[in-house]
Amino acid sequence: MQQIFSRGGQMRKKIRQKADKARSAALKVPKAVKAFSVRTADRLSKAASKRGLRVSELREYSKYVLISLLSFLMAYARFPQDIRPLGIAVICAAADKKTALFAYIGCAVACVTYPDIAIAYFIVYFMLFAARKAFTDSKFREPIYVKVIESTAASMAIGVIRISSSHSEALYEYIAALASAALAAAFTYFFSNIFARDIYDSIPLGRKSICSYALMGAIVCSLSGIGIFGFDLRLIAACVITLTYAVSNGFMHAGIVGFVCGVACGDPMTCACLGLCGLISGLLFPKSIFAALFSFAAAFFTCGAYSQDIQSALALMPSVALACLIFIPACAFLPDIMRISVSAKGAKANTDTADKSNYPRRLSEAFFSLSEVFYKLSENRRFPSESDTGIALERAFSEVCSKCALNEMCFARRNTDEDELRKKLHSAMQVRQAEPDDFGANMKEKCIRLEALCDEVNASYRKTAVALSKDNRTSLLSSQYAGIARLITDTEKKSAEISGRDEAYEKKIADALKKIDMPFSRITVCSKREKKVKIYGVNLDKIPFGAEELKKYMLTECGLRITEPSFDMTESSGIVMSFERAPVISVEYSHASRSKEDDEVNGDTVNFVHGDHSFFHAFICDGMGSGADAALASRLSSVFLEKTLSVGAKKSIILELLNNALLAQSNESFSTVDLLEADLLTGKSYFLKAGAAPTFILRRQKLYKISSSTVPVGIISSFTAESTRFDLEAGDVIIMVSDGVVQGTDESPWLAELIRMDVTRDPSVLSRKILDKAREINVRTDDMTAAVIKIKGC
């Protein structure tokens, strides 16, 4: 045995050596570049020493220059409605005297780039820096929540100045002020966790990841609108950051930060491309840097061409190629700077295991963060932008003026500032339709077709707004990401509950065994739900009664039914007795379905799922309408429910995700859902209905009806389903039907009578009888399905 373990250790060692050798060979170009950077650093240090500067001083000066540059970029970053919250966040997040000073200098210099109220921003930046310096005695070490309050107050001060000095609608200035305050508070929290080294070293890895994503997104956002020789500097920065994360933090972080940087670029296509490219390059970097860079560019082009068109993808490829070239020398030092390190305080010997245990929570936090970002983007796309208004105005001029006899000699349009007119119309049309007075006195007095022009502008604007609302899938993406995050969080909680130990039940069993003087060494109970019990050190001769008596004794003393005990012999612990919680009910089920007359495809789908951990699910999905389209919606819903319910996911979250999935379809696709969840261990059941027909439960010749008035899934975004709890007993019969069986508002008395009169209680026989009777009685033909579940005792 020792020889086998020794050989296994030697084999693992050889494998690790080969992997390290392969990685070293794959990354030999970055190492060569790193050697060049070391030589360059040596030359700089020698030049500095000749001028009387120490290397430490040179590094200190470089650090504060970088802080000023970063602060300038953050203050330069502009969000929709011309709000600039990041400069305030940087000044508030600074954690020492020099950092705060240089952060203020960078933000103050950025004020020269502001078009309107630069003086107001400059004064607020100075007052914020001075207030922090005075109240903290130049230490700048107040708690994070105080920094958040400071940033919120400064943002609101800017908002008040904008409201009092702006000529646009006050409502939009109020919204801008609130948005600026919220963003400033959020980024103050993110930056404070990163800029303070002691805080950064102590926070969990998940929070570090979220804060670093926010910083990278802010850097990319700050480069908006900057181009050099035709290259998009914002896209270049996003690509370099994504590649750096792929090297330093792995493919998962690269995919997420790629999504975030793509969102900061303000283009859904770029968002999808960078997320996919980050995943691919992160997987290929351990093999070859050239393969990773080539795959990054190829995946970006392929995804861009698929999402939009080849011309749009080709237009971005020069910037992507330049980013790949820039990354080759940058990878000598950037990965070390951007590596998300594990905190020393929380680090343990087995860090890989710790990372895996935190992965679901970190992934959930990332999806929640992305959901918030996409929600803000979707809110920004609810109304046409100013450029969209300009396009509508040009269309109106082209359509109306071309039919005017005075078009060639039109003094009204020639003497009108179209940029100013576009801004004025955009401000007005966000709250109402355009009116002739909005075109100004010059157009009102001299334009003979002003009424027609105004009508055409309103019509074109409405068409643009309708098109945006139809194409705006960002809100669905936000809801989907939030649902996935909740699903991961809920699954993690259930996993901890299922796999964790139940110490209270261990004590109950121990007390029960001591009462009958049954010897044992130790007891373990895994899973608080299923109670998987192992009793070690059992002496078979000292068990006072048989298996059936033991089951009854455990039910009396511990309050739970248990399965037949089994006995295993182990070398170290002797005899081990095992049993677990036994179900109190079982199910027998069958169904019958018939398609609508003259239709070969049935639009109803019925399914029965025995999920993990003793759950049973039955559901009927009825696609609205009939034929192939209805069948597609019901099949999609059925498969979605089957795959998610079988792993114990939360029902409300599953239905929300299903609703979003159907809403995202290009054509109208919706389906009713009639869902039964039965807990076989307790007998508790839940009926969830979304636009479904009533369900009937027969118990000792008494008939219970469960119905709801909700809408089907896939129709509206604010979806809710009604849930009804019912405690099942042995002998109950559950009848689930589609709306093709029960039609009209007569409460279907024939169905109630048929169920009561059935004496066979055979699910297959009863389901066929229901369809035969429905076909005979109902006037309107439709797809029909009946599912019958019989509850049996254990």
Side-chain angles (χ1 to χ4, degrees):
M1 185 67 70
Q2 291 179 352
Q3 291 178 353
I4 292 174
F5 281 118
S6 177
R7 290 176 183 174
Q10 292 175 0
M11 187 177 297
R12 288 193 297 271
K13 185 176 181 181
K14 289 181 180 179
I15 292 173
R16 284 196 300 269
Q17 289 175 350
K18 289 182 180 179
D20 293 339
K21 187 176 180 181
R23 181 185 289 270
S24 176
L27 298 179
K28 60 184 178 181
V29 173
K31 286 189 174 180
V33 175
K34 195 168 186 176
F36 173 78
S37 66
V38 170
R39 291 195 297 269
T40 304
D42 291 339
R43 292 173 184 171
L44 288 175
S45 62
K46 290 178 181 178
S49 61
K50 288 181 181 179
R51 290 170 174 76
L53 293 174
R54 294 192 298 271
V55 176
S56 59
E57 293 177 346
L58 186 62
R59 290 177 178 173
E60 192 76 1
Y61 293 148
S62 301
K63 170 186 173 183
Y64 292 121
V65 169
L66 289 175
I67 290 173
S68 296
L69 178 60
L70 177 64
S71 302
F72 176 86
L73 290 175
M74 294 297 100
Y76 177 77
R78 183 173 65 89
F79 285 77
Q81 290 190 274
D82 202 29
I83 59 175
R84 303 172 186 267
L86 298 185
I88 294 173
V90 169
I91 295 177
C92 290
D96 59 72
K97 182 178 180 180
K98 289 186 177 180
T99 302
L101 176 61
F102 284 92
Y104 162 71
I105 292 173
C107 293
V109 173
C111 289
V112 300
T113 65
Y114 296 177
D116 297 321
I117 51 174
I119 299 298
Y121 273 95
F122 181 87
I123 294 173
V124 169
Y125 288 160
F126 174 78
M127 295 299 295
L128 185 58
F129 171 74
R132 290 195 65 203
K133 178 180 175 65
F135 290 119
T136 62
D137 196 19
S138 299
K139 295 179 179 179
F140 299 90
R141 303 294 293 175
E142 63 267 80
I144 291 182
Y145 74 88
V146 176
K147 296 180 180 181
V148 170
I149 294 173
E150 291 170 348
S151 65
T152 304
S155 298
M156 293 306 296
I158 292 290
V160 170
I161 296 173
R162 287 186 51 164
I163 292 170
S164 61
S165 61
S166 176
H167 298 291
S168 59
E169 291 289 333
L171 175 62
Y172 295 102
E173 292 299 333
Y174 291 144
I175 295 174
L178 293 175
S180 177
L183 289 171
F187 279 94
T188 298
Y189 175 79
F190 294 142
F191 294 164
S192 298
N193 284 305
I194 293 178
F195 296 162
R197 191 67 192 178
D198 54 345
I199 297 177
Y200 181 80
D201 290 337
S202 62
I203 62 176
L205 186 61
R207 198 187 306 171
K208 288 180 182 177
S209 302
I210 299 297
C211 294
S212 66
Y213 300 157
L215 178 60
M216 296 302 109
I219 291 174
V220 173
C221 182
S222 68
L223 301 175
S224 175
I226 301 178
I228 299 177
F229 301 111
F231 294 98
D232 187 353
L233 193 59
R234 180 171 58 176
L235 179 58
I236 293 173
C239 293
V240 171
I241 290 171
T242 304
L243 289 168
T244 304
Y245 266 68
V247 172
S248 59
N249 300 307
F251 70 95
M252 186 57 68
H253 287 280
I256 296 174
V257 84
F259 268 110
V260 174
C261 291
V263 170
C265 288
D267 184 5
M269 185 201 77
T270 306
C271 174
C273 293
L274 285 177
L276 176 63
C277 294
L279 293 172
I280 293 174
S281 59
L283 292 170
L284 293 179
F285 262 118
K287 299 186 180 299
S288 170
I289 184 174
F290 294 114
L293 293 177
F294 177 80
S295 300
F296 183 93
F300 193 98
F301 174 75
T302 304
C303 185
Y306 178 79
S307 300
Q308 292 188 354
D309 51 61
I310 295 178
Q311 288 75 15
S312 300
L314 285 174
L316 299 177
M317 288 310 297
S319 299
V320 176
L322 180 59
C324 294
L325 293 176
I326 293 174
F327 174 75
I328 293 178
C331 69
F333 57 94
L334 276 182
D336 293 332
I337 297 174
M338 295 187 182
R339 181 170 288 111
I340 305 173
S341 58
V342 182
S343 61
K345 183 178 179 180
K348 297 183 180 179
N350 192 359
T351 55
D352 292 339
T353 304
D355 286 346
K356 289 179 181 178
S357 64
N358 288 331
Y359 173 73
R361 177 175 54 81
R362 291 188 287 119
L363 189 60
S364 176
E365 291 175 353
F367 275 116
F368 267 126
S369 179
L370 288 174
S371 172
E372 293 175 359
V373 172
F374 283 123
Y375 176 76
K376 292 173 183 175
L377 283 177
S378 68
E379 286 297 300
N380 292 336
R381 292 298 292 167
R382 288 182 62 188
F383 301 101
S385 63
E386 186 175 322
S387 61
D388 294 329
T389 306
I391 294 173
L393 183 62
E394 286 294 329
R395 288 175 182 171
F397 276 133
S398 176
E399 179 69 21
V400 176
C401 295
S402 61
K403 300 176 182 178
C404 180
L406 301 178
N407 184 26
E408 299 296 331
M409 299 180 295
C410 182
F411 294 100
R413 183 178 178 185
R414 190 178 303 170
N415 296 327
T416 299
D417 187 344
E418 292 191 9
D419 290 337
E420 183 180 351
L421 177 60
R422 182 184 67 247
K423 292 179 181 179
K424 188 174 181 180
L425 287 175
H426 175 69
S427 177
M429 294 174 73
Q430 285 185 318
V431 292
R432 57 174 173 80
Q433 288 190 346
E435 298 175 354
D437 292 338
D438 297 325
F439 287 78
N442 185 42
M443 292 284 292
K444 189 174 181 180
E445 294 173 359
K446 299 180 180 179
C447 181
I448 62 175
R449 296 179 60 87
L450 182 58
E451 293 287 343
L453 180 64
C454 184
D455 293 340
E456 184 64 29
V457 168
N458 286 326
S460 180
Y461 186 88
R462 281 195 300 270
K463 290 179 181 178
T464 305
V466 171
L468 284 176
S469 64
K470 288 182 177 179
D471 295 337
N472 187 12
R473 303 287 180 178
T474 313
S475 60
L476 288 178
L477 193 59
S478 171
S479 301
Q480 201 76 337
Y481 276 7
I484 292 173
R486 289 194 297 272
L487 191 64
I488 294 172
T489 303
D490 181 67
T491 305
E492 183 187 13
K493 290 179 181 178
K494 285 191 174 182
S495 177
E497 180 181 347
I498 291 169
S499 60
R501 289 180 59 184
D502 190 343
E503 297 180 357
Y505 197 61
E506 289 176 359
K507 186 176 183 305
K508 275 188 177 183
I509 296 177
D511 294 339
L513 297 181
K514 288 176 183 178
K515 287 183 180 180
I516 58 175
D517 296 327
M518 179 176 166
F520 62 91
S521 59
R522 62 189 177 93
I523 299 174
T524 61
V525 179
C526 295
S527 176
K528 294 184 178 181
R529 171 176 166 77
E530 295 176 290
K531 315 289 187 189
K532 298 180 179 180
V533 181
K534 286 191 175 182
I535 304 174
Y536 297 86
V538 174
N539 189 338
L540 293 178
D541 297 333
K542 297 296 181 68
I543 299 179
F545 33 62
E548 290 300 324
E549 289 81 2
L550 179 62
K551 290 166 65 175
K552 292 178 181 179
Y553 179 73
M554 296 302 296
L555 177 60
T556 304
E557 293 295 324
C558 302
L560 289 175
R561 296 176 182 269
I562 65 170
T563 59
E564 191 82 12
S566 61
F567 298 90
D568 297 319
M569 181 75 71
T570 63
E571 184 177 344
S572 58
S573 303
I575 298 175
V576 180
M577 182 170 68
S578 303
F579 55 84
E580 59 186 64
R581 187 178 186 178
V584 298
I585 60 172
S586 62
V587 293
E588 179 184 351
Y589 50 86
S590 182
H591 79 281
S593 296
R594 290 180 185 174
S595 60
K596 182 181 178 181
E597 291 182 359
D598 301 328
D599 272 339
E600 297 181 357
V601 181
N602 192 344
D604 298 344
T605 303
V606 62
N607 208 342
F608 304 97
V609 179
H610 282 276
D612 296 339
H613 314 300
S614 301
F615 281 104
F616 170 77
H617 296 94
F619 47 87
I620 296 177
C621 300
D622 181 5
M624 302 305 291
S626 61
D629 292 338
L632 178 61
S634 67
R635 304 295 191 274
L636 175 62
S637 303
S638 176
V639 171
F640 192 96
L641 291 172
E642 179 185 358
K643 298 302 181 184
T644 50
L645 289 170
S646 61
V647 296
K650 197 171 182 179
K651 301 178 291 300
S652 59
I653 301 175
I654 290 172
L655 290 177
E656 180 183 344
L657 291 174
L658 174 60
N659 185 64
N660 291 332
L662 292 179
L663 282 173
Q665 300 297 310
S666 58
N667 57 340
E668 290 187 354
S669 180
F670 38 89
S671 169
T672 67
V673 173
D674 193 1
L675 170 63
L676 160 67
E677 180 185 79
D679 186 345
L680 303 182
L681 295 179
T682 64
K684 296 178 181 178
S685 67
Y686 292 90
F687 295 86
L688 276 83
K689 291 184 174 294
T695 296
F696 299 89
I697 304 174
L698 179 65
R699 173 180 293 175
R700 293 186 290 273
Q701 296 302 314
K702 289 185 178 181
L703 196 62
Y704 300 87
K705 177 183 174 183
I706 298 175
S707 59
S708 75
S709 57
T710 53
V711 298
V713 292
I715 295 181
I716 58 176
S717 57
S718 56
F719 168 78
T720 56
E722 289 187 10
S723 177
T724 304
R725 175 180 165 178
F726 195 93
D727 293 336
L728 297 175
E729 298 178 359
D732 291 348
V733 179
I734 303 170
I735 299 92
M736 304 170 65
V737 295
S738 65
D739 59 3
V741 175
V742 287
Q743 298 179 1
T745 59
D746 57 353
E747 302 294 329
S748 303
W750 65 266
L751 179 58
E753 187 65 23
L754 177 63
I755 296 170
R756 285 198 185 97
M757 295 299 294
D758 180 70
V759 293
T760 63
R761 297 293 186 266
D762 185 339
S764 60
V765 174
L766 181 55
S767 60
R768 288 195 300 269
K769 284 183 178 181
I770 292 173
L771 292 194
D772 292 339
K773 191 68 173 177
R775 179 64 63 86
E776 177 185 340
I777 291 178
N778 291 335
V779 177
R780 176 173 53 87
T781 61
D782 197 358
D783 299 323
M784 297 190 299
T785 296
V788 179
I789 302 102
K790 184 178 179 180
I791 307 300
K792 303 168 66 177
C794 293

